[in-house]
Amino acid sequence: MSTIELSHRQDKILQIVKDFGPITGESIAEKLDLTRATLRPDLAILTMTGFLDARPRVGYFYTGKTSNQLLAEKLKKMLVDGHESTPVVINENVSVYDAIVTVFSEDVGTLFVTDAKAHLVGVLSRKDLLRASIGQQKLTTIPVNIIMTRMPNITMCQKSDLLIEVAEKLIKTQIDAIPVVNKTINGFEVVGRITKTNITRVLVELAETGV
Ligand code: ADP
């Protein structure tokens, strides 16, 4: 098992519990010639991360889960909430020209389009805008609602959704961004966005923090 994320002392504790568990914190401390208080933070980390389990009056025991299993469990529990970016939203009557300017000024690849009631009605990607640009139309006079991908064909997610499921949607649908929405009585309001960048960031975070 890889234990690269664990300190030397945590490794030693793990080994003791593997060999002698279930074992009390007191007994682990004795074996390491340390006080129970010194060990408390390490035991807390090992329990929180899932390497060890603790039962009252029984003591600590080894869960038998590998770092990989614990990492997968952690990833599968992550929610969209807290990992989303700020959405860039434009009104459906905005011109394609202004949408292109917004892509540059806001530095995003995907724009979400809403109606007068601030409900999601469409999505605009870079290629949608490029496609419109190579046509013969005058970009300042065509509203984005002519060229956008529209409801109900929009892939959406909610803050309470599992992040891994949203990542799978990104792959399956081969799109770059998914709006995070709040369901209201007559539509969806856009409250965030999940892009491939957000998922990449989670990957880097997981590698840095481990299980
Ligand atoms: P690009 O056009 O730059 O390759 P995407 O792969 O995200 O970017 O978009 C491909 C197509 O899918 C575009 O026509 C776009 O309007 C549409 N699209 C993008 N995001 C979504 C979404 N969340 N739901 C439905 N369609 C989308």
Side-chain angles (χ1 to χ4, degrees):
M1 181 183 83
S2 152
T3 50
I4 39 167
E5 307 90 358
L6 300 182
S7 73
H8 182 57
R9 188 152 77 202
Q10 288 160 4
D11 250 349
K12 274 175 141 175
I13 295 172
L14 211 53
Q15 197 53 54
I16 291 172
V17 179
K18 270 188 208 172
D19 294 343
F20 303 100
I23 178 170
T24 63
E26 211 63 59
S27 307
I28 301 171
E30 255 169 49
K31 286 188 188 296
L32 288 171
D33 227 357
L34 294 165
T35 66
R36 174 81 179 82
T38 314
L39 281 195
R40 196 159 291 133
D42 289 318
L43 286 169
I45 287 170
L46 289 169
T47 314
M48 253 158 35
T49 49
F51 283 104
L52 297 184
D53 222 337
R55 286 215 192 110
R57 279 183 295 279
V58 178
Y60 292 91
F61 58 94
Y62 180 58
T63 59
K65 287 180 183 163
T66 64
S67 306
N68 278 353
Q69 284 173 313
L70 293 169
L71 200 63
E73 276 178 15
K74 186 173 171 180
L75 183 61
K76 282 188 204 153
K77 276 189 214 141
M78 282 182 162
L79 300 181
V80 165
D81 198 9
H83 297 284
E84 75 275 27
S85 296
T86 310
V88 178
V89 177
I90 56 171
N91 181 273
E92 61 180 333
N93 296 317
V94 161
S95 70
V96 172
Y97 182 92
D98 284 340
I100 294 172
V101 171
T102 307
V103 162
F104 281 99
S105 62
E106 300 288 336
D107 196 15
V108 285
T110 309
L111 301 173
F112 301 121
V113 185
T114 52
D115 63 13
K117 291 186 189 131
H119 289 139
L120 179 67
V121 289
V123 174
L124 275 175
S125 77
R126 275 175 285 215
K127 260 182 239 156
D128 294 332
L129 296 169
L130 277 175
R131 196 180 302 115
S133 308
I134 57 173
Q136 297 302 313
Q137 304 118 312
K138 202 162 178 334
L139 299 184
T140 48
T141 56
I142 322 163
V144 287
N145 62 19
I146 305 285
I147 66 156
M148 68 190 185
T149 299
R150 58 190 62 250
M151 283 291 244
N153 300 321
I154 310 252
T155 305
M156 305 177 284
C157 68
Q158 292 185 303
K159 281 190 181 208
S160 55
D161 287 349
L162 290 170
L163 200 58
I164 192 72
E165 285 177 1
V166 179
E168 282 162 3
K169 273 189 192 174
L170 279 172
I171 292 173
K172 210 168 118 212
T173 54
Q174 297 188 349
I175 50 176
D176 291 344
I178 293 184
V180 184
V181 297
N182 242 348
K183 193 167 168 28
T184 65
I185 305 165
N186 12 327
F188 298 95
E189 55 180 33
V190 186
V191 294
R193 90 191 134 101
I194 292 284
T195 67
K196 289 174 180 172
T197 307
N198 299 103
I199 306 295
T200 310
R201 206 171 282 140
V202 168
L203 187 73
V204 172
E205 263 172 38
L206 277 178
E208 278 169 0
T209 57
V211 290

